[in-house]
Structures are given as structure tokens and as C-alpha cells.
Amino acid sequence: MGGVLQGFLVIAAVIGVGYVLGKLEVLGRGAQEVLSRLVFFAGTPALLFVTLSSADLTDVVSPTLAVTAISTTLIALAYAAIAHWALKRSTGDTVIGALSSSYVNAGNLGIPITVFVFGNAALVAPVMLFQVVVIAPVAYAILDADANISESVGKRLLRPLRNPITIGSFLGMAVAGTGFIVPSMVLEPVELVAGIAVPGALIAFGLSLAAGLRTPQPVAAVDLWLVTILKLGVHPTVAFLFGRFVFGMEDIPLLAVTLFAALPTAQNVLIAAIRYDRGRGIARQSALVTTALSILPMIAIVTLVDVPGL
């Protein structure tokens, strides 16, 4: 447990650097967006390529993928049912709320936690791929229909394949599956760019916290409570139960999939909310609140899911 807590402290320290830079506006008001785009389009795809190209593909096509798919879907459907039938929310607001409850921050927090705590970024790849390839396209299709945005079926199907996370991951898995040896002249610059991913993501996250606290958005308390309870309480509980008792997971895989489920709401949800002008308040506030509180369930998970030697 000591190694896990040390990893969290390192992560918190780097996030703190980003937060201070943001509060002091040292990098300017647009720094968070620029750095986030750098990490998303260059650093993270490079890191996933480097990691997966030398990984065992069973780390990706694994029980982690199944548990992620089941738990994420159940949480999203649970929020959607309550919001639609009990709270009478609109379709667009319901979709954004469902994403806020289930779509985890696997990029800015998931990758750093995986690298510092487990030393293997491949563990979080199934989570990122499922979100990018399955959850996001389904949510965007519903939001497109709700906003009367027409788009061909072909474009909708190809959208995930244009995502840099998907491209980096699939290329890495192709290299691992074929046994192809990447020339050093190609691999070394990719490795150099991959080094941006973890510190860049953490600093960008710190910048976003500073920016978010300056621009609060109103949201109904019942919606925020519902998202917070589902995201930080129910989601990791469901992941643990399915992982342990359905798929027989133990030790690091079980701890990893449970921690991933306890990650806070992803900032990508706010991007979708802004793009479709739906649920902006719940997207922003859920990201802030779940981020601030996520350390509590994570510490509880690390305490309860004891992994020898970690």
C-alpha cells in the first residue's frame, strides 16, 4: 500500500504545479486547452503505441475490458433511467449526465495512476478504447439526433477510427501481434514524444482545476448528488463485484479495474456538453466535485483490495 500512496502523492504534486501555474496565469488563459490538445493528439497516442507494441495483447483483450464494458454501461443506464423517468430531464441533459456518471478521466488521471502505481500503461488501454470506440460514438449519435444534426452513418462509424487514441492503440497492438521490430530511428522520437503524456496530462489537469474554480456553473443539487454517488460509489463497487466474483480477478488486475472505475468524470464530457449545448452545468460541476472527492474512494479501494508487494 505504501507504494500506491507514494504514487498518488507524486501525482498530486504535479497536479499542484499545474494548479499553481493556472492560478497565477503564468502560461496564459489558453494554456490548458493547448497543453491538453498536445497530450491528446501527440503524447498519449505515442505512449500507448510504445507501451502496447511491446505488451502482451492479453493485457488489452482481457477481463478488464469486459468489466469496464459491463460496469460503465450499467452506470450510464442507471443514471439515464432515473434522470428520464424520475427527474424528467431532457434527452440531451440525460445523455450528458449519464456520461458524467460513467465516463472516467482515463487520460489525464488514468494513465499517470497506471504508470506510477502499476508501472504498466497497458492496463488502462481497455478502458480508453471502450470509451472512445463504443461509449462516445453512441452518446454522440443520440446527441446528434437530439440537436437535429444530420451526419451519414459512414461518418459516424469512422469517427472513432480517426481518434488519435484509437490510432495509437491499434498501431501498437498491430506491432505486438505481428512481432514486427520497429526501427530505432522511428521508435526513439516516438518514445521522446510519449514522455510528454504523463506530466503534460497532470499539469493540464491542474490548470483545468484552477480555471474551473473561477467559472462555476449552476446545477440542480439532486443531479450532482446522483452523478457523484454513481461515479465514486456505485461504479467502482459494480466493477469490483463483477471483477472478483464473475471474472475471478485478483491482485493487480482487480485493483486496477476497481481504481479505474473510481476515476472522476472526464473533461471530454464537458467538451461534448459545450459542443451540443446540453448539460453544461452538470458536466462541469461533476468533473470538479468527483475530482475533489475521488481520492477518498481510491484510498478505500487500495486499503480493501490488498495486493502483496505493491
Side-chain angles (χ1 to χ4, degrees):
M1 181 177 174
V4 175
L5 293 179
Q6 183 178 352
F8 281 134
L9 289 175
V10 171
I11 291 168
V14 181
I15 292 175
V17 171
Y19 179 79
V20 171
L21 290 174
K23 292 295 287 184
L24 297 177
E25 298 185 2
V26 174
L27 304 178
R29 290 186 176 270
Q32 186 250 323
E33 181 179 353
V34 172
L35 187 54
S36 293
R37 290 175 67 85
L38 175 63
V39 170
F40 180 78
F41 285 97
T44 299
L47 178 62
L48 288 173
F49 173 80
V50 170
T51 302
L52 293 176
S53 63
S54 59
D56 187 339
L57 290 183
T58 57
D59 287 339
V60 181
V61 185
S62 64
T64 298
L65 179 59
V67 172
T68 297
I70 293 170
S71 61
T72 300
T73 303
L74 288 177
I75 296 303
L77 292 176
Y79 179 90
I82 296 172
H84 181 72
W85 297 108
L87 303 179
K88 307 298 182 182
R89 299 295 183 248
S90 67
T91 298
D93 289 348
T94 297
V95 172
I96 295 299
L99 289 175
S100 299
S101 303
S102 60
Y103 203 103
V104 305
N105 195 336
N108 284 3
L109 285 181
I111 283 184
I113 287 175
T114 308
V115 170
F116 281 111
V117 175
F118 303 112
N120 182 10
L123 290 173
V124 76
V127 179
M128 302 187 74
L129 286 175
F130 179 74
Q131 292 189 155
V132 170
V133 176
V134 179
I135 293 296
V138 171
Y140 291 162
I142 298 173
L143 290 169
D144 283 341
D146 184 59
N148 294 318
I149 298 175
S150 60
E151 187 177 51
S152 68
V153 176
K155 286 186 176 180
R156 289 180 181 176
L157 292 175
L158 290 175
R159 182 187 291 165
L161 299 180
R162 299 196 300 265
N163 189 294
I165 302 297
T166 309
I167 294 171
S169 299
F170 283 177
L171 287 176
M173 288 189 290
V175 170
T178 60
F180 176 74
I181 304 299
V182 181
S184 60
M185 288 184 63
V186 175
L187 186 60
E188 288 179 5
V190 175
E191 290 175 335
L192 193 61
V193 174
I196 299 171
V198 173
L202 292 176
I203 291 174
F205 191 73
L207 291 170
S208 73
L209 291 180
L213 291 174
R214 286 198 300 267
T215 56
Q217 297 289 328
V219 61
V222 63
D223 293 85
L224 187 56
W225 273 106
L226 179 58
V227 167
T228 303
I229 291 171
L230 287 173
K231 177 83 269 318
L232 300 183
V234 182
H235 196 176
T237 300
V238 171
F240 174 83
L241 292 175
F242 272 91
R244 179 66 185 90
F245 298 107
V246 176
F247 292 92
M249 300 172 72
E250 295 179 339
D251 298 332
I252 287 180
L254 180 61
L255 176 59
V257 76
T258 309
L259 278 177
F260 296 155
L263 289 169
T265 302
Q267 289 176 293
N268 288 351
V269 178
L270 178 58
I271 294 173
I274 293 173
R275 174 185 176 186
Y276 292 98
D277 194 22
R278 301 289 191 274
R280 293 192 185 198
I282 189 62
R284 179 178 292 279
Q285 293 297 341
S286 61
L288 289 172
V289 172
T290 58
T291 297
L293 298 179
S294 60
I295 188 62
L296 300 177
M298 286 185 180
I299 290 176
I301 290 166
V302 170
T303 302
L304 294 174
V305 186
D306 185 33
V307 177
L310 190 63

